[in-house]
Amino acid sequence: MIRCLFKGLQQSGQGSEPGKPVIAVAGALRSGTNYLKFLLEQNYDVAADSNAFGWKHGGVPVFAASAQLSYPDMPLAYIVKNPYAFVVSLHRYHQRKIKAGHRISLDAEAEFNAFLTSPVTIFDSQLDGSPQLRFSSPVQYWNFLYWNLETLDPKRFRVAGFNYEDLVTNPLGIRMVESVAGLTRRSEELETPKNQLKRLGGAVMTGEKSTAEGDEDFDGSYYTEKRYLGSFTDEQLAFMRAEIDPWLMQQRGYEIL
């Protein structure tokens, strides 16, 4: 499902190329923000700014009416991953990076059940002294971020929401942007990481490097067949049902299992 609320894309001096239209990109950790950025920049005459509204994984901040701050005058595109797939992906990423000795923007428990049911802390690992956000579970992080993004007032913000699973299985879904933002398409052929590799003469990648965040195996049927559900026990599924916000699931077209 693609939910688009913005009417047009205006010129901005921000971004990688001065004078080029700019669109902000946001989403939870391990939700596919890099993939969304790639699809936008490779297929349209637009620059995707990952942190125009603040840290891309932290939502849009609240500015007091008296604050000497203002939101940038640009649309914001965000990407959502089904929360069942999201917690599995986030846990695998956390464990793989920790074992490799990498510093990441997440503090959490190691074992999956503890990871799922215990508090998590997120922060920007690239920023010294980064502020932190603490949630009672990774699902509550998902709830927080997507409530923040789904409820942005369309009278003030121009927002487009994309489901990760839809864009991965059918990247043509990104073309919905054309009718609401007036973007100029670079070519008739849709540019994806997989197509780019073909033209470079490389092997067609089957890993998520070709489609999303860059370092885990990818198979589209993993999402269409919901194979990530095999990671959950009945008790863990019950925990998910109790934690997930039903309104958000309805908004994004997801099913509570």
Side-chain angles (χ1 to χ4, degrees), residues 191-212:
E191 183 71 57
T192 67
K194 185 175 179 179
N195 289 343
Q196 190 176 67
L197 282 171
K198 284 181 179 178
R199 277 193 296 277
L200 291 174
V204 176
M205 298 174 68
T206 58
E208 195 166 343
K209 289 181 181 179
S210 68
T211 55

Side-chain angles (χ1 to χ4, degrees), residues 171-225:
L172 285 172
I174 196 66
R175 288 183 173 166
M176 180 66 73
V177 173
E178 298 171 17
S179 63
V180 294
L183 299 181
T184 302
R185 194 187 307 168
R186 293 182 181 274
S187 69
E188 286 301 314
E189 180 185 12
L190 184 72
E191 183 71 57
T192 67
K194 185 175 179 179
N195 289 343
Q196 190 176 67
L197 282 171
K198 284 181 179 178
R199 277 193 296 277
L200 291 174
V204 176
M205 298 174 68
T206 58
E208 195 166 343
K209 289 181 181 179
S210 68
T211 55
E213 293 294 285
D215 54 7
E216 65 183 70
D217 290 340
F218 176 80
D219 178 357
S221 64
Y222 177 79
Y223 293 98
T224 57
E225 298 173 8

